[in-house]
Amino acid sequence: GYILLHFLLLFLLLQFNQVYDCLMTFVGSIGGQWILFMFSVCLALHQRLMRLDPGFILSPPSVVGCFCQRCDADRPYRSHHCKQCGHCVAVFDHHCHWIGRCVGAGNRALFSLFLLCQTILLVSVLTLMSYPSLPIHLIFE
């Protein structure tokens, strides 16, 4: 649904002739190519995070740390039960609604990379929009 929404918004923007010309000029620039590259990297990371196992504890560990009363199973230390997912997650950080999964031992590094790419994309867009010589400012007139 997330990718479909982006493509739908892009399709609606391309319906307007002035915006279309502006976007094509912008995409042809170095800054526009950088934005498209970072956007595609962010989408690829997002799709990978949505499918990656965050470290769900499916079988009882050999070394018992504590007992989860919701799962009725033994779980290692530093694992917690996620109410949204209904599973115990090893090295549980939080349940992220952006990716629809928990952030845990299995996907923490990739989630940090995803946040870094999102930050770089945001700073790049804001930087390029601040220059009035670039045609991207025509979108917001």
Side-chain angles (χ1 to χ4, degrees):
Y2 183 73
I3 295 175
L4 185 62
L5 177 66
H6 279 96
F7 283 117
L8 180 64
L9 289 174
L10 183 64
F11 176 75
L12 290 175
L13 281 176
L14 294 178
Q15 295 302 311
F16 303 102
N17 194 23
Q18 182 181 10
V19 175
Y20 178 77
D21 292 339
C22 173
L23 282 174
M24 289 304 109
T25 306
F26 178 68
V27 168
S29 69
I30 299 296
Q33 292 174 1
W34 171 254
I35 296 292
L36 287 177
F37 170 73
M38 286 306 297
F39 181 74
S40 60
V41 168
C42 288
L43 276 179
L45 286 173
H46 183 264
Q47 290 301 311
R48 179 73 176 127
L49 278 168
M50 287 177 59
R51 291 188 209 106
L52 190 64
D53 180 25
F56 290 138
I57 299 169
L58 302 176
S59 61
S62 58
V63 178
V64 177
C66 52
F67 185 76
C68 178
Q69 295 175 353
R70 293 186 180 108
C71 293
D72 291 330
D74 293 328
R75 60 185 172 107
Y77 291 111
R78 296 188 63 207
S79 64
H80 295 283
H81 187 87
C82 178
K83 293 177 185 176
Q84 286 89 0
C85 292
H87 294 289
C88 284
V89 179
V91 193
F92 180 77
D93 189 350
H94 69 284
H95 183 87
C96 180
H97 296 286
W98 286 359
I99 61 173
R101 300 208 103 176
C102 294
V103 177
N107 62 355
R108 185 177 40 200
L110 196 62
F111 184 74
S112 299
L113 182 63
F114 173 68
L115 290 180
L116 177 68
C117 285
Q118 288 285 331
T119 305
I120 291 171
L121 179 63
L122 176 69
V123 169
S124 300
V125 167
L126 291 177
T127 302
L128 288 173
M129 285 176 58
S130 66
Y131 292 108
S133 62
L134 292 175
I136 193 70
H137 73 279
L138 294 175
I139 294 175
F140 302 103
E141 287 183 351

